[in-house]
Amino acid sequence: LTEQKARKYAVIENEFGSVGVDDQLVRNKFKDEEDVVEMNNGCICCTVRGDLIKTLKRIQKLIVGGKKLDGVIIETTGMADPAPVAQTFFADDDVASAFRIDGIITVVDCKWIVERLKEEKQGENEAVEQVAFADVLLLNKTDLVDKKRLEEVKKQVRVLNSEAKMIETKYSRVDLGEVMDIGGFSLDKVLQKDEEFVNFDQEHEHDNSVSSCGFTLDGELDMGRFNKFIQKMMVEKGVDLYRSKGVVAIEGMAKKFVFQAVHMLFGGEPTVDWKRGEKRTSRFVFIGKNLNPKEIKKDAEACIAKSSDQAAAEEQFAFAGSGDGYKA
């Protein structure tokens, strides 16, 4: 989206929990607020599926009203089963007549995907569903695995999906032409694999042990205490943490600090400046198994700065974590 200017897309951003982070990051790339729609507090494949239909109809009205859009990009939560999302485009007549599915893109984390595919869950294994239903598979973080591991990933993925195009990537960087306007989705092919695809009464069952913990803190955070909080989360909860992300206000830092992590792989950097008069808040989202939201929020609240005479944080900020350089 940031590397091309000729085309214009609307983005629907889905967050598993009640607090969103990704929408803030995406909005920085768009001039028009209406081009980014955030859908919180539920998975787009089930809980807020009705909201998706309403959002698509709203976008269609904008197009009819003269707004130029070349397409709609839907980023689901990592907990989503893509099949029910795709069903949405056939279940509602208005949506079906206005939109078509171009392709389903799945980003595969080469560092962790083998473990995720083998994981036994109370409900569906979303990783399996996402790989199996994809038209294009982006094999990401190839720089964090050796050739043997990469070949194992390819083998496991091919067992589930023998037809999808595989593209090896680092930092999810890919030519737009590889993932947009690909004409990858075919209803006929889907029906050959799953005759029940057009059964719109099916329900997606999530693993109840997996939850999202999201919250917002007012004020700036002390750099040292924030470091210790993140280190504690990575060390004590890392194995069960599928995803961690946040936009943080650090005392003495002029820019918003954005961090993202998968299990124990952490990455973060200062991004855009806080606007003049903008309220400085920190937003956190943690998705994983057996999380204790009250405990996590209490530990985060202990990071709130008590004074504002700290030296420039940009020069001092250093995370003593994995060092693996994860960056989404």
Side-chain angles (χ1 to χ4, degrees):
L1 293 177
T2 59
E3 294 178 358
Q4 61 85 38
K5 305 297 182 183
R7 313 203 71 182
K8 190 174 181 63
Y9 297 95
V11 175
I12 299 176
E13 179 68 44
N14 180 215
E15 292 277 6
F16 188 59
S18 59
V19 175
V21 169
D22 291 341
D23 70 302
Q24 285 196 22
L25 309 182
V26 175
R27 285 183 196 281
N28 291 331
K29 311 299 182 183
F30 286 79
K31 292 182 179 179
D32 298 333
E33 285 287 311
E34 63 186 12
D35 290 342
V36 183
V37 180
E38 184 185 26
M39 297 171 59
N40 282 355
N41 208 24
C43 197
I44 201 171
C45 69
C46 48
T47 311
V48 295
R49 192 172 168 190
D51 292 343
L52 174 59
I53 293 176
K54 293 177 183 177
T55 300
L56 289 170
K57 289 182 177 180
R58 196 179 95 197
I59 292 173
Q60 172 61 8
K61 287 183 179 179
L62 291 174
I63 296 173
V64 172
K67 187 172 184 62
K68 184 183 181 301
L69 285 176
D70 294 294
V72 179
I73 298 173
I74 301 174
E75 183 180 12
T76 71
T77 168
M79 302 305 298
D81 178 350
V85 181
Q87 284 177 341
T88 304
F89 290 84
F90 301 93
D92 184 272
D93 291 339
D94 293 333
V95 171
S97 63
F99 299 93
R100 67 170 178 84
I101 302 176
D102 179 53
I104 295 175
I105 318 299
T106 295
V107 181
V108 175
D109 186 331
C110 291
K111 183 76 173 178
W112 302 103
I113 187 61
V114 174
E115 288 76 14
R116 293 287 75 78
L117 293 176
K118 295 179 179 178
E119 188 175 13
E120 294 185 5
K121 308 188 79 173
Q122 296 174 17
E124 295 178 355
N125 185 325
E126 292 86 2
V128 171
E129 301 295 332
Q130 290 166 9
V131 168
F133 210 74
D135 298 307
V136 176
L137 293 161
L138 301 183
L139 305 185
N140 195 38
K141 300 186 190 175
T142 54
D143 54 323
L144 299 184
V145 297
D146 56 26
K147 291 184 178 179
K148 182 178 179 180
R149 175 70 170 189
L150 183 57
E151 289 305 313
E152 182 183 6
V153 169
K154 291 180 179 179
K155 182 179 179 180
Q156 294 285 341
V157 165
R158 277 297 179 225
V159 170
L160 296 170
N161 192 330
S162 61
E163 298 179 357
K165 181 178 181 179
M166 289 197 299
I167 304 172
E168 297 180 22
T169 66
K170 301 175 183 178
Y171 301 114
S172 297
R173 291 171 183 155
V174 63
D175 185 271
L176 197 62
E178 300 272 20
V179 294
M180 303 294 287
D181 293 329
I182 58 174
F185 183 85
S186 168
L187 180 59
D188 291 336
K189 288 184 179 180
V190 172
L191 290 175
Q192 288 176 9
K193 297 179 181 179
D194 181 12
E195 294 180 355
E196 291 296 308
F197 176 76
V198 289
N199 177 5
F200 304 131
D201 294 326
Q202 294 183 92
E203 292 187 4
H204 171 60
E205 183 181 355
H206 285 292
D207 186 339
N208 292 328
S209 67
V210 178
S211 62
S212 172
C213 168
F215 51 87
T216 301
L217 302 180
D218 292 334
E220 299 179 325
L221 305 186
D222 175 81
M223 178 180 64
R225 292 199 290 270
F226 172 70
N227 267 335
K228 291 179 180 179
F229 165 66
I230 292 297
Q231 286 178 318
K232 179 181 178 182
M233 289 293 297
M234 298 297 105
V235 172
E236 296 183 3
K237 308 289 186 182
V239 175
D240 289 334
L241 272 176
Y242 296 152
R243 198 80 160 89
S244 307
K245 50 191 174 182
V247 178
V248 182
I250 298 294
E251 185 182 35
M253 183 179 287
K255 296 181 180 295
K256 297 178 180 180
F257 186 84
V258 175
F259 75 87
Q260 302 191 53
V262 175
H263 293 295
M264 290 80 74
L265 295 181
F266 177 99
E269 61 184 347
T271 55
V272 298
D273 288 337
W274 290 94
K275 296 178 182 178
R276 184 181 297 275
E278 182 179 4
K279 185 177 182 181
R280 298 208 172 195
T281 61
S282 298
R283 302 174 75 175
F284 295 86
V285 174
F286 299 97
I287 301 173
K289 298 180 68 173
N290 306 312
L291 301 180
N292 186 328
K294 290 184 179 180
E295 178 183 322
I296 294 173
K297 184 177 181 181
K298 181 179 179 181
D299 288 346
E301 288 174 335
C303 301
I304 297 176
K306 301 298 190 294
S307 64
S308 58
D309 55 356
Q310 187 176 357
E314 287 94 335
E315 299 179 5
Q316 300 182 31
F317 200 95
F319 176 76
S322 66
D324 283 306
Y326 170 78
K327 184 178 180 182

